[in-house]
Amino acid sequence: LLAGIHYARGRFQEAARELAPAVASGQALPDMLGLLANLYLLSGQVDAARPLIEQALAVDPLTPLIRCLPGYADAMEGRFDRAVGPYREMFEMDPGNPMGRLFYTWILAVNGDAEGVQEVVAGFPEEVAASPPAQVASLFAAGMAGRSIDDIAPISPWTEALAGSADLFPRFLAQAYALLGDEERALHWIAVAVDHGFINYPFLARHDPFLRRLADHPTYVELLKRVKRRWEDFEP
């Protein structure tokens, strides 16, 4: 519980320190293993995350999000093609889940599968078509279709508020806006993601195909310097 509180506040190092002894005890629940793996992946410690992912899969092979974790680890190392299978498996296990559909949209987008992105986004159930995950996925779909930021409706205030409260949505928004050519929004949202704990320096500096478009922007250069220091100081 303490780890969850730290995670929600973007204190990933503190969260990991709370979880690590519980995991080492050999009595960790799948959610605990998954959370610690997620913390390591977001902090650029992929090698430390992989054994935890194997443990989580061994004790809970039926939860879609846990089934996706090997692909998540590959994606954080820039191996996007290898990540498609686990993301597809997660999606097919629970196609009505809007977050799962957003995750699958994202992995298809970073793999350059424009047709697949359009198909998955068009399949959002009507009852969640205006949800925050659907809105973010629609930004990826617009960008993959070659549209510009001026051609699309803005995200809702509720989605903006939600995105400002954690690391996941701002990271996706930054990538989608970079794809759409909106550097200022992309820079804003990636800074929010970093403030909430996303310090995977190798991913931000080398692997992400969309944020790479910001590589020469002075604001992004300075952000990466800050991220690198925090990444190097993180202790798995």
Side-chain angles (χ1 to χ4, degrees), residues 78-154:
R79 302 174 183 178
F80 300 117
D81 56 336
R82 290 176 51 174
V84 173
Y87 275 84
R88 181 188 300 115
E89 190 171 313
M90 172 198 62
F91 170 69
E92 291 176 347
M93 291 174 73
D94 189 11
N97 186 324
M99 287 301 298
R101 192 172 285 268
L102 170 58
F103 292 154
Y104 191 36
T105 297
W106 173 73
I107 201 63
L108 293 175
V110 294
N111 274 284
D113 186 353
E115 184 177 343
V117 166
Q118 304 304 327
E119 181 180 345
V120 174
V121 173
F124 269 93
E126 184 177 353
E127 62 270 20
V128 294
S131 66
Q135 290 185 42
V136 177
S138 294
L139 293 179
F140 280 113
M144 295 299 288
R147 299 169 64 188
S148 74
I149 190 66
D150 298 325
D151 299 331
I152 60 177

Side-chain angles (χ1 to χ4, degrees), residues 77-78 80 110 174-175 178-179 183 186 202-217 220 224:
E77 290 186 318
F80 300 117
V110 294
Q175 293 166 319
L179 174 62
E183 288 189 350
F203 184 83
L204 291 172
R206 297 191 288 271
H207 302 320
D208 189 280
F210 303 138
L211 296 178
R212 195 178 298 138
R213 304 173 187 209
L214 306 175
D216 296 327
H217 197 291
Y220 194 64
L224 285 181

Side-chain angles (χ1 to χ4, degrees), residues 13-231:
Q13 182 70 84
E14 291 87 343
R17 285 173 179 157
E18 294 290 348
L19 275 176
V23 168
S25 74
Q27 301 183 42
L29 299 172
D31 286 351
M32 296 164 64
L33 292 163
L35 177 55
L36 186 55
N38 186 42
L39 289 165
Y40 287 161
L41 293 174
L42 294 171
S43 303
Q45 313 294 327
V46 179
D47 288 344
R50 289 194 184 275
L52 299 170
I53 293 170
E54 291 178 6
Q55 285 181 259
L57 283 168
V59 295
D60 182 11
L62 299 180
T63 296
L65 191 59
I66 289 178
R67 292 287 284 270
C68 179
L69 286 176
Y72 183 18
D74 285 332
M76 289 296 100
E77 290 186 318
R79 302 174 183 178
F80 300 117
D81 56 336
R82 290 176 51 174
V84 173
Y87 275 84
R88 181 188 300 115
E89 190 171 313
M90 172 198 62
F91 170 69
E92 291 176 347
M93 291 174 73
D94 189 11
N97 186 324
M99 287 301 298
R101 192 172 285 268
L102 170 58
F103 292 154
Y104 191 36
T105 297
W106 173 73
I107 201 63
L108 293 175
V110 294
N111 274 284
D113 186 353
E115 184 177 343
V117 166
Q118 304 304 327
E119 181 180 345
V120 174
V121 173
F124 269 93
E126 184 177 353
E127 62 270 20
V128 294
S131 66
Q135 290 185 42
V136 177
S138 294
L139 293 179
F140 280 113
M144 295 299 288
R147 299 169 64 188
S148 74
I149 190 66
D150 298 325
D151 299 331
I152 60 177
I155 61 175
S156 70
W158 161 241
T159 299
E160 284 217 15
L162 182 64
S165 65
D167 67 280
L168 176 61
F169 278 110
R171 176 160 43 98
F172 281 166
L173 283 173
Q175 293 166 319
Y177 282 126
L179 174 62
L180 286 161
D182 190 333
E183 288 189 350
E184 293 309 310
R185 283 191 175 94
L187 288 165
H188 166 75
W189 286 114
I190 198 56
V192 172
V194 168
D195 288 343
H196 281 285
F198 184 61
I199 55 168
N200 189 325
Y201 175 77
F203 184 83
L204 291 172
R206 297 191 288 271
H207 302 320
D208 189 280
F210 303 138
L211 296 178
R212 195 178 298 138
R213 304 173 187 209
L214 306 175
D216 296 327
H217 197 291
T219 301
Y220 194 64
V221 171
E222 288 304 311
L223 180 72
L224 285 181
K225 290 179 182 178
R226 181 157 55 96
V227 169
K228 187 177 183 181
R229 288 193 296 270
R230 292 174 61 186
W231 168 64

